[in-house]
Amino acid sequence: IGKIAVGAEGETPEAAVSEVAARSPYFLIFDGTGTLLEAVANPYKDAKGGASSSIVPFLSQKGVTFLVAGDFGEKIIPAMKDENMDYLEFHGTAGEVLKKALETRQ
């Protein structure tokens, strides 16, 4: 199992899942067992355009194979498919979705 990234409004597992994947203020990156490895600020959240095509390779380089956010735009889904990255739409906290993501991937 690769790493799981959760688009989040803050830097802790208690943070709300961000509504829009490519514009998430932060990505919380967890290993396959659910341990928080890092909270990384999204360098593309304020990009004028192309945030989707930039964020997917950025996360992929960090070993992410599964991305969670509130919503995924039409441009990010093909970009994730190209990187063999799965995704889940979820509303709640990062900690809640992590539990669900780990169950889904078993």
Side-chain angles (χ1 to χ4, degrees):
I1 295 178
K3 295 177 185 171
I4 300 166
V6 179
E9 294 297 323
E11 299 178 74
T12 67
E14 293 76 34
V17 172
S18 183
E19 284 301 307
V20 182
R23 302 289 179 180
S24 298
Y26 297 94
F27 289 99
L28 304 182
I29 300 177
F30 299 89
D31 69 11
T33 66
T35 301
L36 179 61
L37 301 174
E38 67 177 316
V40 59
N42 179 355
Y44 306 105
K45 72 178 174 69
D46 296 321
K48 294 279 185 262
S52 298
S53 58
S54 299
I55 203 62
V56 172
F58 173 76
L59 292 173
S60 185
Q61 285 175 346
K62 291 186 170 289
V64 171
T65 59
F66 194 85
L67 179 59
V68 179
D71 189 41
F72 291 85
E74 61 187 40
K75 292 179 184 168
I76 198 168
I77 293 171
M80 289 187 302
K81 283 196 169 107
D82 288 347
E83 293 285 346
N84 294 315
M85 195 179 288
D86 290 322
Y87 66 97
L88 174 69
E89 290 185 352
F90 187 87
H91 301 277
T93 68
E96 290 168 345
V97 75
L98 178 65
K99 188 174 174 211
K100 181 151 180 76
L102 290 170
E103 289 169 3
T104 303
R105 301 190 70 194
Q106 297 287 328

